[in-house]
Amino acid sequence: MKRRSVCGTLLLALLSVLVLFPVIYTVCSAFMSNREILYYYGSLVTEEAGEGRWLPFHLIPDAFSLDAFYQILLRRPDYLIKFWNSLFLTGVIVLGQLALSCLAGYGFSKRRFPASQVLFVLIVILMLMPYQVTLVSNYIVLNAAGLIGSYLSVILPGIFAPFGVFWMRQVMDGIPDDILEAAALDGAGQMRILCQVVVPAAKGGLVSLIILSFVDNWNMVEQPLVFLKDRTKYPLSIFLSQINAQTLGAAFASGLLAMLPVALLFAFFQEELAEGISLTGRR
């Protein structure tokens, strides 16, 4: 039994290293000089990469360098601007989606209205579709409204994403109706019940939605590329998808900066995330 436990621990440790290896690789490479990165990785973005030769494995920097961070934070502030663009777009989308999802989730879960089940099924179907399916229709609507090129063209579709409604409906289904009926008997209106009873009871689900929505919108690529015309408005995720030989060092440093908000969210709210996920299975 002890041998099985040791083998299981070693296997899990090996799998953990494999899963975390891209993160470790990015962190180590972010502290290399640009000359060192080009020497080892330059062939990744040149024609030589397709010739089938093995690339040298290089994990530990030859010399610790902050040159990449100096470039993106001081010399080339456009990378830092992309970071703040990402933070602005994601923050507004998450807040808007949170407010809308709470209202809609409460309506679908605790209030009965005509065709509510049909509408919810349509929301689920829309949620299951790849985003690329609705990209063209969203562009047509946003173009007709004159919003193409503005931040609203990215923010509005993100706020009205169906996943948040589905998630909060599942979370609120786990809240007993007796609590809501007792609040109603005390004279509380629907908005007061939602804000003072339902929202505190669904705190774990709300935190989970914040984290999941943040990760989803932090990494968006298609929406900004299609809806935004001004390259200065692009988020950091666009730069990370357009790496070239001259920006490899900045790409590693930007990748590390891009990981930090998501990693910090998970580090501080992992218990609430687990609690929120468990809430969606209650009835």
Side-chain angles (χ1 to χ4, degrees), residues 188-226:
Q190 293 301 320
M191 287 303 299
R192 185 177 176 186
I193 292 175
L194 174 62
C195 296
Q196 298 184 6
V197 179
V198 176
V199 169
K203 182 181 68 173
L206 290 172
V207 174
S208 300
L209 178 60
I210 290 173
I211 296 175
L212 296 173
S213 177
F214 188 94
V215 172
D216 184 39
N217 291 286
W218 183 260
N219 298 318
M220 60 183 172
V221 174
E222 294 94 343
Q223 303 95 308
L225 279 176
V226 175

Side-chain angles (χ1 to χ4, degrees), residues 51-255:
E51 295 178 359
R53 69 181 186 88
W54 288 93
L55 292 172
F57 178 77
H58 185 65
L59 183 62
I60 306 301
D62 294 336
F64 183 84
S65 173
L66 294 175
D67 181 62
F69 293 97
Y70 171 73
Q71 292 292 331
I72 66 173
L73 296 178
L74 299 176
R75 287 286 302 275
R76 297 288 302 276
D78 48 321
Y79 299 135
L80 190 59
I81 290 173
K82 290 179 174 63
F83 176 84
W84 290 113
N85 287 344
S86 292
L87 204 60
F88 168 73
L89 289 171
T90 305
V92 174
I93 290 174
V94 169
L95 291 176
Q97 190 176 133
L98 197 64
L100 181 68
S101 299
C102 284
L103 291 170
Y106 177 72
F108 280 113
S109 177
K110 302 303 182 183
R111 309 297 299 173
R112 294 292 177 262
F113 54 91
S116 61
Q117 292 301 317
V118 175
L119 288 175
F120 187 73
V121 170
L122 292 176
I123 288 176
V124 173
I125 293 174
L126 185 62
M127 182 185 69
L128 296 176
M129 291 182 179
Y131 187 82
Q132 292 79 5
V133 174
T134 59
L135 199 61
V136 175
S137 57
N138 281 339
Y139 185 91
I140 294 174
V141 173
L142 293 169
N143 188 51
L147 297 177
I148 294 296
S150 70
Y151 283 129
L152 284 176
S153 63
V154 177
I155 291 172
L156 289 179
I159 289 176
F160 288 93
F163 173 75
V165 178
F166 169 81
W167 182 266
M168 291 311 302
R169 193 256 194 178
Q170 297 301 106
V171 170
M172 292 178 181
D173 275 350
I175 300 175
D177 293 337
D178 296 342
I179 300 177
L180 278 64
E181 293 172 359
L185 289 175
D186 288 340
Q190 293 301 320
M191 287 303 299
R192 185 177 176 186
I193 292 175
L194 174 62
C195 296
Q196 298 184 6
V197 179
V198 176
V199 169
K203 182 181 68 173
L206 290 172
V207 174
S208 300
L209 178 60
I210 290 173
I211 296 175
L212 296 173
S213 177
F214 188 94
V215 172
D216 184 39
N217 291 286
W218 183 260
N219 298 318
M220 60 183 172
V221 174
E222 294 94 343
Q223 303 95 308
L225 279 176
V226 175
F227 299 146
L228 297 178
K229 303 301 182 183
D230 188 354
R231 298 175 66 89
T232 60
K233 294 182 178 181
Y234 282 173
L236 187 61
S237 53
I238 300 298
F239 164 70
L240 295 178
S241 67
Q242 298 175 342
I243 299 172
N244 56 57
Q246 285 70 43
T247 57
L248 276 178
F252 283 120
S254 299

